């Protein structure tokens, strides 16, 4: 009799375990499905959150004062209490990515407490050089302080590849190593990335306003 009771208890316990396994397996499968769906959703969101060609997050971002100061140190630019007056020049920069203009934000290089000798004042695309002494400044220094990658193949997150060409021109003439280009007064600088089967009609001149 005792053996029968023990056997019955064992069978009951086994039955309970089998039922529990049957119940938990679908839950585990459901969890895996949720994780898979979540991964797919994150992928979709990532695609939607990618910046468009015309309004890339890279280009619209303005460094904070602390970020700007660090970027300027990397670029080898001094922090000034006010714009210099000994050496003044200006260049106009056009950035065209896949046929769309990218606007350079105002006040890149300007804060409430200090200013860079290279800075923008508005969204016109004009870069101002205002230094307390005559020295050479490069296009790469401006992009470094802005926090945007500029090489002979890339601008920001957009790079030359099998399907895209990257061209930088100054006054309508293609140049190499744009990051090392020494800035001259009243230059038109065009940075172009587009389909490799197209070639840009590089801009030769910009009508600078008379007032600096």
């Amino acid at each position: 009799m005792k053996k029968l009771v023990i056997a019955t208890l064992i069978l009951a316990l086994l039955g309970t375990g089998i039922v529990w396994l049957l119940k938990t397996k679908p839950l585990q499968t459901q969890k895996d499905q949720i994780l898979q769906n979540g991964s797919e959703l994150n992928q979709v969101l990532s695609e939607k959150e990618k910046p468009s060609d015309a309004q890339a997050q890279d280009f619209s971002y303005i460094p904070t004062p602390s970020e700007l100061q660090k970027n300027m140190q990397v670029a080898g630019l001094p922090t000034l209490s006010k714009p210099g007056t000994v050496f003044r020049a200006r260049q106009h920069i056009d950035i065209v990515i896949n046929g769309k203009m990218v606007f350079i934000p105002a006040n890149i290089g300007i804060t409430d407490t200090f200013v860079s000798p290279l800075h923008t004042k508005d969204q016109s695309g004009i870069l101002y050089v205002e230094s307390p002494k005559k020295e050479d400044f490069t296009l790469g220094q401006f992009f470094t302080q802005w926090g945007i990658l500029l090489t002979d193949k890339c601008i920001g997150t957009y790079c030359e590849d099998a399907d895209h060409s990257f061209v930088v021109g100054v006054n309508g003439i293609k140049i190499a190593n744009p990051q090392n280009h020494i800035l001259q007064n009243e230059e038109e600088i065009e940075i172009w990335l587009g389909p490799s089967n197209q070639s840009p009609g590089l801009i030769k001149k910009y009508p600078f306003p008379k007032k600096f």
Side-chain angles (χ1 to χ4, degrees):
M1 183 68 180
K2 185 183 288 187
K3 291 182 178 180
L4 181 60
V5 172
I6 293 173
T8 302
L9 288 172
I10 291 173
L11 288 173
L13 289 172
L14 287 173
T16 302
I18 292 170
V19 171
W20 182 80
L21 287 173
L22 289 173
K23 287 183 177 180
T24 55
K25 188 171 182 181
L27 288 176
Q28 184 63 38
T29 303
Q30 184 179 12
K31 181 180 178 181
D32 292 340
Q33 187 64 42
I34 291 171
L35 291 174
Q36 182 180 352
N37 291 344
S39 178
E40 291 175 357
L41 179 59
N42 286 335
Q43 185 176 357
V44 171
L45 288 175
S46 296
E47 291 296 326
K48 288 184 178 179
E49 290 171 356
K50 285 182 179 178
S52 64
D53 290 346
Q55 295 179 332
Q57 292 175 1
D58 291 349
F59 300 107
S60 63
Y61 185 72
I62 300 175
T64 65
S66 60
E67 290 171 338
L68 176 63
Q69 194 166 29
K70 290 178 182 178
N71 292 348
M72 288 172 62
Q73 289 175 352
V74 173
L77 294 169
T79 55
L80 309 175
S81 58
K82 61 181 180 179
T85 57
V86 174
F87 176 52
R88 304 175 80 201
R90 55 187 176 173
Q91 303 77 32
H92 184 262
I93 302 174
D94 282 297
I95 302 175
V96 183
I97 297 178
N98 294 324
K100 299 177 181 178
M101 293 292 298
V102 174
F103 295 98
I104 301 175
N107 299 321
I108 297 293
I110 298 176
T111 73
D112 293 335
T113 56
F114 66 90
V115 63
S116 167
L118 306 180
H119 50 264
T120 62
K121 300 178 181 180
D122 50 37
Q123 286 189 318
S124 65
I126 296 178
L127 170 62
Y128 292 86
V129 181
E130 295 182 282
S131 173
K133 62 180 180 178
K134 180 71 172 71
E135 60 181 307
D136 290 338
F137 295 98
T138 67
L139 185 62
Q141 284 179 297
F142 171 69
F143 278 89
T144 297
Q145 81 165 11
W146 184 11
I148 298 294
L149 176 69
L150 177 66
T151 69
D152 58 343
K153 294 184 181 298
C154 296
I155 173 68
T157 57
Y158 299 91
C159 294
E160 182 177 83
D161 56 27
D163 300 316
H164 297 86
S165 297
F166 180 66
V167 178
V168 178
V170 176
N171 297 332
I173 300 172
K174 181 180 177 180
I175 64 169
N177 301 315
Q179 66 274 21
N180 298 327
H181 173 71
I182 296 175
L183 299 171
Q184 305 294 332
N185 190 37
E186 296 199 353
E187 289 181 316
E188 164 58 35
I189 301 172
E190 183 176 358
I191 300 171
W192 185 92
L193 184 139
S196 54
N197 61 354
Q198 297 180 11
S199 40
L202 293 172
I203 304 170
K204 296 182 179 180
K205 191 175 181 180
Y206 177 77
F208 288 92
K210 292 183 179 180
K211 185 178 179 180
F212 190 88

